[in-house]
Amino acid sequence: MKAIYSIAEIEQAINYWTGRQAADSHWSLCPSARVLANVYGEMIYRRETSIAAEALDAEQSQAVETALHQMELGLAP
């Protein structure tokens, strides 16, 4: 696991999940993208360019780690 994630990595993970999982409804994000969108929005609001891994909860960590790992392996859509 990385120690710090950039805002670009969080955005990439959101994009990964929106291409992989179905949303709950036409206007919502899938669950994995939604937990990361909360982090992303907070980072924008606070004008942060990175976030420490320990600041993420277990669900957020799993979502970002899985997405980034899959993209690294070339398994992204």
Side-chain angles (χ1 to χ4, degrees), residues 48-59:
E48 296 173 343
T49 59
S50 62
I51 188 167
E54 67 248 10
L56 304 176
D57 65 29
E59 191 176 14

Side-chain angles (χ1 to χ4, degrees), residues 10 17 42:
I10 300 296
W17 287 116
E42 191 70 28

